[in-house]
Amino acid sequence: MTENTTAYSDIDEKDLEILEQVENDFDVGLETLSQGLGLSKSAIHYRIEKLKENGIIEGVTADVDPLALGLEMVSITDVSVTHEEGYSENIGEKITTISGVEQVFYTMGDVDFVVVSRVQTRDQLNDLIEEIVAIDGVNETSSKFVMEEFHGARNVTENLTRAARDTILDS
Amino acid sequence: MTENTTAYSDIDEKDLEILEQVENDFDVGLETLSQGLGLSKSAIHYRIEKLKENGIIEGVTADVDPLALGLEMVSITDVSVTHEEGYSENIGEKITTISGVEQVFYTMGDVDFVVVSRVQTRDQLNDLIEEIVAIDGVNETSSKFVMEEFHGARNVTENLTRAARDTILDS
DNA sequence: AATGAAATCGACCAGCA
DNA sequence: TGCTGGTCGATTTCATT
């Protein structure tokens, strides 16, 4: 085995700590991070910049509560397609552009796409599903309502298993 | 009908524009927002503060790229449970706490939970599924691999249909 | 609720280990 | 290359409208 050269871009423990914090709340401020890690504010700043440049931090965004905008209806739609050529990618992207669609997964198995969508009303959901069906190559759809959502740890760093952490730090 | 009193907390068009921007990239800066909206920087600041206080902006967070941390393996697991009492909530939360689990949906239908998880290796996935099965009340699981992910518009505001926008602005 | 001025915090520059 | 301390610019807060 030729040593671990996977491109974890030299993430060390301090970087991981920073990631854990800012992934939860970017407003913590350099001061707090600085005190918690025993580094100067500038150092923290540079580390965050580097994490952005290396694409580890993809961006800093405001998280908007869907419920606050009336998007109370979540559904999961299984989509199967007719398997010609390599149209699958194309279909996936088309589904993504439909208004109300949040996530699209292309999966192995009899169900080809799993689509998570979020809308305000049942009418909007009907429209959305019709738009999926209208896509060329879409074969069959089957939807289920989401009654409750446990949006657990969306945080990548908090979700790391011990093994995963170790792999990253052994770089 | 007694007029629309749904708690959209007086969101106006300018608020929606701000939300669209900061949901994509919080680093845009007050200057840019100020120019784009024809308001002073302070005014923008206060509006953002208010959106946070009202819970419309749940927080500002750094988005970490899972791939950068080696989390390349995504899977969707359908979980059915034995229907006794109101244990469902409990089970949902237990699943959420499992390391590697990203999202849990409690749905209507024969499949009770849909679980999206993200891990580094197949071993980690096996462990994760074993942990789900070990939960009291879990009946059966069935997993599929995700080959491609179209993480389309995660942005709530961009995903609003015209109808949804109108509903919000008519407050 | 919005504005402009004052205090505070983050971004950048140069020197240093 | 990465950290520190200081300066500049941006953000936050204050007093006022």
Side-chain angles (χ1 to χ4, degrees):
Chain A
M1 207 176 287
T2 67
E3 184 178 357
N4 194 343
T5 21
T6 38
Y8 293 128
S9 305
D10 305 314
I11 298 173
D12 64 10
E13 290 182 48
K14 301 206 183 219
D15 288 323
L16 268 183
E17 279 187 57
I18 293 172
L19 285 175
E20 280 176 32
Q21 294 258 8
V22 297
E23 204 183 6
N24 272 318
D25 177 18
F26 196 83
D27 290 337
V28 280
L30 296 182
E31 189 72 38
T32 313
L33 291 168
S34 167
Q35 288 168 359
L37 289 173
L39 283 175
S40 73
K41 290 198 286 182
S42 310
I44 305 282
H45 172 71
Y46 281 121
R47 276 170 178 266
I48 292 177
E49 281 300 301
K50 199 175 174 187
L51 289 166
K52 284 181 184 172
E53 279 170 23
N54 292 344
I56 293 153
I57 293 178
E58 294 174 317
V60 177
T61 58
D63 302 323
V64 176
D65 180 15
L67 291 177
L69 299 183
L71 297 169
E72 301 183 356
M73 193 169 278
V74 180
S75 71
I76 297 175
T77 306
D78 294 338
V79 178
S80 66
V81 304
T82 61
H83 281 282
E84 317 162 19
E85 320 174 27
Y87 274 148
S88 298
E89 285 222 358
N90 230 305
I91 293 175
E93 276 170 23
K94 276 184 190 162
I95 296 175
T96 306
T97 64
I98 295 172
S99 165
V101 168
E102 217 179 61
Q103 294 171 276
V104 178
F105 301 98
Y106 179 49
T107 66
M108 288 175 62
D110 36 69
V111 168
D112 298 300
F113 291 97
V114 176
V115 180
V116 179
S117 52
R118 196 182 298 270
V119 293
Q120 279 186 325
T121 65
R122 192 167 174 135
D123 283 344
Q124 288 169 14
L125 182 57
N126 282 334
D127 291 349
L128 189 153
I129 292 169
E130 274 182 29
E131 287 191 65
I132 293 178
V133 174
I135 293 172
D136 207 47
V138 166
N139 195 18
E140 201 184 358
T141 71
S142 141
S143 297
K144 41 183 173 282
F145 281 94
V146 171
M147 308 194 61
E148 193 166 0
E149 200 178 348
F150 303 84
H151 38 299
R154 273 235 179 148
N155 306 329
V156 174
T157 44
E158 277 192 2
N159 254 356
L160 291 173
T161 60
R162 257 207 77 108
R165 275 187 76 98
D166 293 343
T167 310
I168 292 164
L169 293 176
D170 293 347
S171 58
Chain B
M1 205 178 287
T2 69
E3 184 178 357
N4 193 344
T5 23
T6 38
Y8 294 130
S9 305
D10 304 313
I11 299 173
D12 64 10
E13 290 183 47
K14 298 200 186 227
D15 288 322
L16 267 184
E17 280 187 56
I18 292 172
L19 286 175
E20 281 176 32
Q21 293 259 6
V22 297
E23 202 183 8
N24 272 318
D25 177 17
F26 196 82
D27 289 337
V28 280
L30 297 182
E31 188 72 38
T32 312
L33 292 168
S34 168
Q35 289 168 358
L37 289 174
L39 283 174
S40 75
K41 293 195 281 184
S42 308
I44 305 282
H45 172 70
Y46 279 120
R47 276 171 178 264
I48 292 176
E49 281 301 301
K50 199 175 174 187
L51 288 167
K52 284 181 185 171
E53 279 170 21
N54 292 345
I56 293 154
I57 292 178
E58 294 174 317
V60 177
T61 58
D63 302 322
V64 176
D65 179 15
L67 291 177
L69 299 181
L71 298 170
E72 300 183 356
M73 193 169 276
V74 180
S75 70
I76 298 176
T77 306
D78 295 338
V79 178
S80 66
V81 304
T82 61
H83 281 281
E84 316 162 19
E85 319 175 29
Y87 273 148
S88 298
E89 286 223 358
N90 230 305
I91 293 176
E93 275 170 26
K94 276 184 190 163
I95 296 174
T96 306
T97 64
I98 296 172
S99 164
V101 169
E102 218 180 60
Q103 294 171 276
V104 179
F105 301 98
Y106 179 50
T107 66
M108 289 175 60
D110 37 68
V111 168
D112 297 301
F113 291 97
V114 176
V115 180
V116 179
S117 52
R118 195 183 299 269
V119 294
Q120 278 185 325
T121 65
R122 191 167 177 135
D123 282 346
Q124 288 169 15
L125 182 58
N126 282 334
D127 291 350
L128 189 154
I129 292 170
E130 274 181 29
E131 286 190 64
I132 294 178
V133 174
I135 294 172
D136 208 47
V138 166
N139 195 18
E140 201 184 357
T141 70
S142 141
S143 297
K144 40 183 173 283
F145 280 95
V146 171
M147 306 195 60
E148 194 166 359
E149 200 177 347
F150 302 85
H151 38 298
R154 276 234 178 147
N155 306 328
V156 174
T157 44
E158 277 192 2
N159 255 355
L160 291 174
T161 60
R162 258 207 75 109
R165 275 187 77 98
D166 292 344
T167 311
I168 292 165
L169 293 176
D170 293 347
S171 59

